[in-house]
Amino acid sequence: MCAHSAFLKCSSSQLDWLLHILLRDQVSKRVYVLSLSVSGTAHKLIMRLKLYASRRNISVLMVIIVMQVSLTCVWLAFNGHSSGNNLEQTEQDPEKRPNGVQNSIVPQPGEGDTRHSQRHVDKSSSKSEEKKQDSKGETFHRNKKSPARSTRGRPEAVPTKNKQSVRRIQDSQSKFVFRMISSAVSYCDGNVEFYENMTALMRNVIVDPAKAHTTARGGEKIKDVLLQHESAEFYHQENGLLNVENCSNIPAPNVFKFGHASPQVPLLSSAVKISKGPYQTQGEEIQKHDGDFVILLTRFEYANVYWTVIDLYDTFLTMQLYNRTFKNTDLWIFDAHPDTSLDSLFKGTFRRVFRIAEIKGKTQIRNLLPCFSRGKTPILDKVLRPLTLVEKFRREVLSALGVPMKSDKDRERRCHGKRLNVLFIWRRNYVGHPRNPKGIVSRKISNEDELLVSAKHHFPNYTIRGEQLDKLPMKRQLELIGNADIMVGMHGAAFGFTVFMHKGAGVLEMWPRAFQGNWHMEYLAKRSGIFYQSWQNTESANENLVEKSTKVSLDAVKSKLEELSISICTKYNDKATV
């Protein structure tokens, strides 16, 4: 050990020796590995400590002590009073789990066991406990009593603070998911897992469709509901729409709140009825939903690509709490909006998409998890850091829709051959929702043909095309997006598709003269690993206010395409040019 007077002069080798001493103990080593799964790699941690030492502004020993205390706190926070050895043994051998510890969600083949464990129950009480088993072999508990102690509405011990939750964090490497898991509180003997102010997983919940009312049916063709007021497309739900039975510790109403905070839609939590006894069927037969895991989603700007992508991304993040995939998750669309081409983005990814009109009578859903409100989405964070799990999201959506993903090798060959793919997005009039019966679209390009001819002339080896995406099937739209090295267009919702472009691609967003730009598309592109350029018209003569179109500068587009090409191809060749 360095002498006290020389603490500030410890060399890198001496610091390595200190870390070696620290990690000799098995518990300390586990704590250290756990911390790395949350905060980063060992290399980064060690280099940071060495940097502190080299600056001589802090004692190396003090750094080690602070690290030891911090990591120990992390370990205790995730594991409570359980022994690490016992956790490992239980994880490796499911047959040796304590009696009464049941997993609520059955993993699919090939998936890790990421389920929440129920509370420990005494062996004698577990024998007398009434259990019901569904067709998939899932065990559910009814009339289950908590240990003999007063609850008075207080939450139980948090079931997510265990090794299963820790491994979920390691798998996802998502701080957003980590924060949600950290806030989880269990009620009703584990049948309700509440993520504070965001959402709540409800197990064996009974849905009463008669408790939801709206004047619109939902799913109609747009031409059949022209001029329909948007308020008619949201449900007015009553308490008892969602029912949780046999709850020994009911959460306080002022605590149990989640859902969209909107004048149009009341909080979804107000529709949840939790009772101490069994659900009163009044002689009705309770149907059973054929899916294992359902996410409930209420959409707002349902005809807008950008907000639709956010809705899909948010449901994807919600699934990560339980390591679900699109192929084993159902989506309940809880609104009465008409059908649009964007609906196929959901129908093509989830196992099944349904509306409340398709629920015939009272139905029990094994696991229902409402999507958190839009105000919580990471996409709307105005920060330039990588978007949470964006690569996994892109990969799983494209895979579910059967869209092949391009590799870096494909782009490298195109860069070396100066054969990049450029996609121009045209904004043209179309009827996208009932409130725009004439289908008038602003921010159009008045010189589309001239723009294509000029681009092909200056980049003769490039593959350059222009498309009106909303006229194409969703799969074809994403094929064009995924194959494009550069996407060009006037500001519009279609730039929400940049999240599906291959990492390292580029976009050029253009603006009319009088338009006040916003940051949404730029931040979405950059946070998705996409190079971004923009251009705004400055000449009033280039604006057609009647047609709501802009004449785009050919020289500006040429210059921006050159800059994007260099940015894209520099990765493969430092001397890359267009």
Side-chain angles (χ1 to χ4, degrees), residues 12-286:
S12 296
S13 61
Q14 289 171 317
L15 178 57
D16 291 336
W17 179 76
L18 286 172
L19 290 172
H20 173 72
I21 294 299
L22 172 67
L23 298 179
R24 284 192 305 181
D25 179 73
Q26 289 299 317
V27 174
S28 297
K29 188 172 183 178
R30 291 194 193 100
V31 174
Y32 179 73
V33 173
L34 173 65
S35 71
L36 297 182
S37 69
V38 178
S39 61
T41 64
H43 175 73
K44 291 181 180 179
L45 182 60
I46 293 173
M47 292 305 294
R48 188 170 296 175
L49 291 175
K50 289 180 178 179
L51 177 62
Y52 285 151
S54 65
R55 290 177 177 175
R56 302 180 181 182
N57 61 354
I58 187 170
S59 167
V60 173
L61 181 59
M62 184 60 69
V63 171
I64 297 297
I65 293 173
V66 171
M67 184 179 73
Q68 172 81 21
V69 173
S70 300
L71 300 188
T72 302
C73 291
V74 171
W75 178 261
L76 292 176
F78 280 98
N79 292 276
H81 302 291
S82 301
S83 166
N85 292 330
N86 291 339
L87 281 173
E88 285 190 341
Q89 183 178 1
T90 303
E91 190 71 22
Q92 294 170 1
D93 190 357
E95 300 298 328
K96 296 182 180 180
R97 291 179 181 176
N99 292 319
V101 178
Q102 298 292 338
N103 288 318
S104 58
I105 301 177
V106 176
Q108 303 302 317
E111 290 183 1
D113 183 1
T114 58
R115 302 163 288 176
H116 287 285
S117 297
Q118 301 289 352
R119 294 169 56 84
H120 289 263
V121 181
D122 183 73
K123 185 174 183 179
S124 60
S125 65
S126 66
K127 289 182 179 179
S128 61
E129 184 181 50
E130 180 184 359
K131 298 181 180 179
K132 291 192 176 182
Q133 194 164 11
D134 74 344
S135 59
K136 290 189 177 182
E138 235 180 16
T139 302
F140 298 106
H141 303 269
R142 291 188 179 271
N143 301 322
K144 182 178 177 182
K145 301 298 182 183
S146 297
R149 64 182 179 86
S150 174
T151 58
R152 296 183 182 179
R154 295 197 306 265
E156 305 175 17
V158 182
T160 54
K161 300 293 182 68
N162 54 26
K163 191 166 184 177
Q164 286 90 340
S165 296
V166 173
R167 190 173 68 249
R168 285 213 303 271
I169 299 170
Q170 292 172 341
D171 290 342
S172 68
Q173 289 294 303
S174 166
K175 291 183 179 180
F176 178 83
V177 176
F178 167 74
R179 287 197 301 271
M180 287 191 68
I181 291 176
S182 299
S183 70
V185 178
S186 179
Y187 296 95
C188 305
D189 301 310
N191 281 330
V192 175
E193 289 178 2
F194 176 51
Y195 299 89
E196 185 175 2
N197 299 324
M198 297 191 74
T199 185
L201 175 74
M202 291 166 280
R203 296 186 173 92
N204 305 319
V205 62
I206 297 174
V207 180
D208 184 357
K211 299 290 186 179
H213 313 280
T214 185
T215 56
R217 179 172 57 88
E220 308 94 336
K221 293 182 179 180
I222 293 178
K223 66 178 182 179
D224 296 331
V225 291
L226 291 178
L227 298 178
Q228 176 176 266
H229 198 277
E230 189 175 18
S231 62
E233 300 171 3
F234 292 103
Y235 283 100
H236 302 279
Q237 67 253 16
E238 300 177 30
N239 183 255
L241 170 65
L242 306 175
N243 299 273
V244 179
E245 57 182 342
N246 299 323
C247 182
S248 61
N249 61 330
I250 300 176
N254 64 322
V255 173
F256 192 69
K257 291 183 178 181
F258 61 88
H260 294 277
S262 162
Q264 301 162 305
V265 181
L267 288 175
L268 183 63
S269 54
S270 65
V272 181
K273 184 176 182 179
I274 303 179
S275 56
K276 291 185 177 181
Y279 180 73
Q280 301 299 318
T281 62
Q282 298 177 347
E284 297 180 59
E285 181 182 357
I286 304 297

Side-chain angles (χ1 to χ4, degrees), residues 299-455:
R299 303 169 300 165
F300 289 86
E301 292 86 354
Y302 62 95
N304 182 293
V305 173
Y306 177 74
W307 296 108
T308 299
V309 168
I310 288 181
D311 285 339
L312 184 62
Y313 175 74
D314 289 349
T315 57
F316 165 79
L317 286 184
T318 305
M319 292 191 302
Q320 303 313 300
L321 292 171
Y322 295 92
N323 269 7
R324 308 301 291 191
T325 62
F326 287 114
K327 67 181 180 181
N328 58 32
T329 301
D330 293 351
L331 180 67
W332 175 4
I333 293 183
F334 189 60
D335 59 56
H337 299 311
D339 188 54
T340 72
S341 60
L342 294 177
D343 285 22
S344 59
L345 194 57
F346 298 106
K347 294 175 182 178
T349 49
F350 287 92
R351 187 191 79 98
R352 177 189 170 193
V353 177
F354 64 94
R355 296 172 183 261
I356 197 169
E358 300 173 48
I359 301 178
K360 306 300 182 182
K362 297 177 180 178
T363 302
Q364 185 180 64
I365 297 178
R366 284 192 284 272
N367 299 284
L368 177 65
L369 182 63
C371 183
F372 55 84
S373 63
R374 179 178 293 171
K376 306 289 185 179
T377 180
I379 289 183
L380 297 182
D381 291 340
K382 194 175 180 181
V383 292
L384 285 177
R385 60 169 176 257
L387 193 59
T388 300
L389 299 176
V390 64
E391 286 291 333
K392 184 178 181 182
F393 172 65
R394 176 188 296 132
R395 182 174 63 251
E396 292 194 6
V397 170
L398 295 181
S399 174
L401 291 168
V403 177
M405 293 187 65
K406 301 299 181 181
S407 67
D408 274 349
K409 289 293 183 182
D410 293 328
R411 178 169 291 152
E412 184 175 5
R413 284 192 291 268
R414 293 196 297 273
C415 280
H416 288 159
K418 301 177 183 178
R419 298 179 181 275
L420 298 184
N421 297 326
V422 179
L423 176 65
F424 283 86
I425 303 297
W426 307 137
R427 289 175 58 85
R428 294 171 180 167
N429 293 342
Y430 80 105
V431 180
H433 60 81
R435 268 72 67 189
N436 184 15
K438 294 183 179 180
I440 303 299
V441 173
S442 61
R443 301 190 305 279
K444 296 185 284 285
I445 296 176
S446 61
N447 57 333
E448 292 176 351
D449 294 337
E450 186 181 16
L451 198 56
L452 282 179
V453 171
S454 174

